[in-house]
């Protein structure tokens, strides 16, 4: 998993709670923070003032604090995201490719919905399907811990509502 997956995770959680997506600058602030960049550097990349990037950052941290139920700030973002997404996140210096290693990801790994079967893809084995089902159950449980409703979880994970509601019955 890479930074784009972290951004996708945060964007999905924010969308589920607020109905709004992260702006480009907000995404840049998260990425820059994880790469240990200063607001000045982030502002230059997004062609805005340092003060503007700080203001947007402050509002972002406040919003994420409300969503995650703990104080989020620039210094603690990485550890909070590790806890919230159940990931071990390793970010290198900004001049090295950054990546994320871990397990228990609560993000649906498909980048876009695929409503029709793709015949170019191999048929999923029973073992793969069981693993996928277990992952979805874990995802549902984790998102419930964030306080999301079954309807919100179904939307985020692109699952039928009935499937999400069945997770309680399977336990």
């Amino acid at each position: 998993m890479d930074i784009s997956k972290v951004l996708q995770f945060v964007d999905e959680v924010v969308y589920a709670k607020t109905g709004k997506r992260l702006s480009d600058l907000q995404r840049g602030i998260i990425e820059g923070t994880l790469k240990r960049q200063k607001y000045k550097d982030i502002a230059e990349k997004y062609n805005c003032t340092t003060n503007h990037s700080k203001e947007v950052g402050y509002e972002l941290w406040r919003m994420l604090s409300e969503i995650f139920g703990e104080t989020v700030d620039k210094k603690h973002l990485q550890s909070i995201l590790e806890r919230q997404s159940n990931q071990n996140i390793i970010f290198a210096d900004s001049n090295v490719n950054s990546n994320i290693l871990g397990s228990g990801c609560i993000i649906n790994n498909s980048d876009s919905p695929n409503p029709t079967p793709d015949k170019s893809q191999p048929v999923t084995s029973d073992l793969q399907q069981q693993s996928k089902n277990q992952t979805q159950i874990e995802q549902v449980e984790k998102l419930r811990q964030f306080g999301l409703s079954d309807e919100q979880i179904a939307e985020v994970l692109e699952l039928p509502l009935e499937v999400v509601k069945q997770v309680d019955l399977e336990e």
Side-chain angles (χ1 to χ4, degrees):
M1 219 172 124
D2 58 19
I3 285 183
S4 66
K5 294 295 184 183
V6 171
L7 292 172
Q8 181 183 358
F9 164 73
V10 175
D11 188 58
E12 292 296 337
V13 172
V14 167
Y15 180 74
K17 282 287 197 175
T18 67
K20 296 179 182 177
R21 297 289 184 183
L22 293 174
S23 70
D24 289 344
L25 181 54
Q26 288 171 321
R27 294 171 69 89
I29 290 170
I30 292 169
E31 180 178 356
T33 297
L34 294 172
K35 290 180 176 180
R36 310 227 186 285
Q37 294 176 336
K38 298 195 178 297
Y39 282 115
K40 177 184 169 223
D41 300 321
I42 296 167
E44 286 176 7
K45 182 176 179 179
Y46 287 88
N47 200 25
C48 65
T49 66
T50 302
N51 282 340
H52 180 68
S53 67
K54 284 181 180 180
E55 289 170 13
V56 171
Y58 172 78
E59 289 301 317
L60 176 62
W61 306 144
R62 191 174 61 76
M63 176 178 59
L64 292 177
S65 295
E66 289 177 21
I67 290 171
F68 292 139
E70 60 183 305
T71 303
V72 178
D73 59 22
K74 204 168 187 242
K75 293 178 184 175
H76 302 103
L77 179 65
Q78 181 174 335
S79 62
I80 290 167
L81 289 177
E82 285 174 347
R83 275 194 303 281
Q84 294 295 331
S85 66
N86 196 23
Q87 292 291 306
N88 294 318
I89 304 175
I90 300 170
F91 292 96
D93 292 352
S94 60
N95 60 351
V96 178
N97 288 337
S98 297
N99 57 51
I100 299 175
L101 305 172
S103 61
C105 173
I106 70 166
I107 301 171
N108 189 351
N109 286 332
S110 64
D111 291 331
S112 60
N114 192 6
T116 56
D118 184 354
K119 297 187 195 264
S120 67
Q121 296 296 321
V123 177
T124 305
S125 71
D126 288 341
L127 185 58
Q128 288 172 321
Q129 188 61 44
Q130 285 177 336
S131 175
K132 180 179 176 185
N133 291 343
Q134 182 60 36
T135 301
Q136 288 178 333
I137 289 169
E138 291 169 4
Q139 291 172 342
V140 169
E141 292 168 351
K142 185 71 172 180
L143 289 172
R144 280 187 178 142
Q145 291 175 1
F146 289 135
L148 273 65
S149 69
D150 286 350
E151 291 79 10
Q152 291 170 320
I153 294 169
E155 183 177 338
V156 168
L157 298 178
E158 298 174 347
L159 294 173
L161 181 57
E162 296 76 30
V163 172
V164 173
K165 288 183 176 184
Q166 284 181 340
V167 170
D168 279 340
L169 303 174
E170 292 175 2
E171 293 176 0

